[in-house]
Amino acid sequence: MMQTLNVALGERSYPIHIGCGLLADAALIAPHLKQKKAVVVTNTTVAPLYLETLTGALARSGVAAQPVVLPDGEQYKTWETLNLIFAALLGSHCERGTTLIALGGGVIGDMGGFAAACYQRGMPFIQIPTTLLSQVDSSVGGKTAINHPLGKNMIGAFYQPRLVLADLSTLDTLAERELAAGLAEVIKYGLIRDPDFFVWLENNLAALLARDKAALATAVARSCANKAEVVAADERETGERALLNLGHTFGHAIETGLGYGEWLHGEAVAAGTLIAAELSARLGWLMAGDVQRIERLFVRAGLPVQAPALGAARYLELMRHDKKVQDGQLRLVLLERIGRAVVTDAASTADIEAAIEARCRCA
Ligand code: NAD
Ligand code: GLY
């Protein structure tokens, strides 16, 4: 059975459809296309698995879909790869009314969305996320970006899709490590604003790891419902949306510091969340038992809870590029309790360094 949520952004509102076998159902996509022409941006891993199902279904409903198959990997989330998309769009004479469909994980979604935002100053865009992480987070909310060697997701735009189609069947082919990485972002929603969901995750983690479709449907829908509420309230991240970055300031430092693609985004977020939890405990907000409870869930999910030993000074240097830095002041998302996060500059540099050292592999 398909569930449909709505991201409420006035005339830019859009549906999120969640269910099994949706890729083959062009009737869900066709009403959102302005022309009988689309471009499908995907990569060398996803194309052999799902491209034909999608383009075949579109062809049967009279839509010609041209594929653009990119190299796979976080290290390709760059200007150079973006230019490959622009070359394909120009080469096939795409117009402002042609729709760009991103078929893949968060890397494809972020890059495809940024290309759509830029091409002829904006072309319609549809997200078809095929990883757990992209179904629960990156496909919703309109953040698009590429990486810079000095900082993760530093070049980008807010640009909302017209539709998000989360086909749970695609998760069957996902590597275990990638499934776990997606769970890091799922657990995040429980930690920042949905304590009942955190408890549900504690009770249903085994079913999620076994890819039980009913459990996955609940997790994806509950995550998207949380994200849609936050995005509707604060699309441009002037306030509440920053809470979605729990663990990300440390996590982005891990990804940039190690080199893109070394740790998966979700893995870096997991280790970063444990640093944030450690710091929250040092401020007297979380109890030691809360930190252990969070750690237990991440460990059960197969996620790292110790960060790489880059050295606290290097972490702080990398974190200076964080998008939450304001007037040179670092602000962090920390936990007042499980289910309630805040953005704060309350932590001293010494506390931050101590929390990093306590959670690094060398400690
Ligand atoms: P990813 O896009 O690299 O996908 C992970 C791997 O799985 C890739 O090798 C991919 O080709 C492969 N894959 C995708 N679907 C598959 C399937 N169904 N079966 C088998 N393999 C499949 O990584 P991700 O975890 O999806 O996304 C991470 C990216 O998302 C990062 O760049 C991160 O910065 C970004 N992100 C963006 C937002 C946002 O709000 N825009 C939020 C969170 C993360
Ligand atoms: N992934 C964080 C956000 O969308 O704001």
Side-chain angles (χ1 to χ4, degrees), residues 23-67:
L23 262 187
D25 189 353
L28 294 172
I29 301 173
H32 298 275
L33 302 178
K34 280 188 175 175
Q35 298 178 332
K36 290 281 184 194
K37 176 174 173 176
V39 167
V40 180
V41 175
T42 187
N43 70 24
T44 49
T45 303
V46 177
L49 294 169
Y50 301 113
L51 184 60
E52 169 58 30
T53 308
L54 176 65
T55 54
L58 288 170
R60 285 189 293 282
S61 67
V63 176
Q66 189 204 319

Side-chain angles (χ1 to χ4, degrees), residues 38-287:
V39 167
V40 180
V41 175
T42 187
N43 70 24
T44 49
T45 303
V46 177
L49 294 169
Y50 301 113
L51 184 60
E52 169 58 30
T53 308
L54 176 65
T55 54
L58 288 170
R60 285 189 293 282
S61 67
V63 176
Q66 189 204 319
V68 180
V69 182
L70 302 175
D72 181 14
E74 185 74 43
Q75 65 275 31
Y76 294 108
K77 202 175 159 185
T78 59
W79 275 119
E80 289 70 25
T81 316
L82 201 63
N83 261 327
L84 297 177
I85 306 178
F86 294 138
L89 294 172
L90 287 162
S92 58
H93 304 283
C94 289
E95 299 170 3
R96 208 176 243 172
T98 308
T99 296
L100 186 153
I101 301 176
L103 173 72
V107 170
I108 286 295
D110 279 15
M111 263 196 309
F114 190 34
C118 298
Y119 185 75
Q120 296 195 2
R121 302 197 182 91
M123 69 194 294
F125 158 54
I126 287 175
Q127 286 270 22
I128 306 191
T130 61
T131 61
L132 181 61
L133 186 140
S134 56
Q135 294 187 355
V136 299
D137 193 350
S138 61
S139 64
V140 175
K143 276 190 183 175
T144 73
I146 55 168
N147 299 327
H148 186 279
L150 292 178
K152 172 108 176 114
N153 292 339
M154 279 293 144
I155 319 295
F158 285 99
Y159 194 65
Q160 299 293 341
R162 306 283 172 112
L163 163 72
V164 178
L165 201 69
D167 185 341
L168 301 171
S169 309
T170 61
L171 302 180
D172 287 340
T173 52
L174 203 58
E176 268 181 29
R177 191 177 163 202
E178 299 290 353
L179 186 78
L183 286 171
E185 300 280 20
V186 175
I187 294 169
K188 170 186 81 179
Y189 294 109
L191 287 172
I192 62 171
R193 71 194 304 273
D194 194 345
D196 293 344
F197 186 39
F198 188 84
V199 174
W200 184 89
L201 287 167
E202 288 181 313
N203 293 330
N204 290 275
L205 193 74
L208 290 172
L209 290 169
R211 304 181 199 218
D212 174 86
K213 288 295 185 309
L216 284 170
T218 301
V220 173
R222 186 88 169 239
S223 299
C224 287
N226 271 295
K227 180 141 189 191
E229 263 181 43
V230 173
V231 168
D234 179 24
E235 183 186 6
R236 296 258 166 169
E237 198 169 306
T238 54
E240 186 187 358
R241 185 164 183 173
L243 301 180
L244 296 172
N245 287 316
L246 175 67
H248 284 59
T249 302
F250 302 106
H252 286 165
I254 293 171
E255 291 185 82
T256 309
L258 289 180
Y260 300 121
E262 197 59 39
W263 274 37
L264 303 181
H265 176 71
E267 293 171 340
V269 166
T273 298
L274 261 300
I275 300 175
E278 178 82 32
L279 188 50
S280 306
R282 279 170 193 267
L283 293 178
W285 298 351
L286 282 188
M287 313 290 280

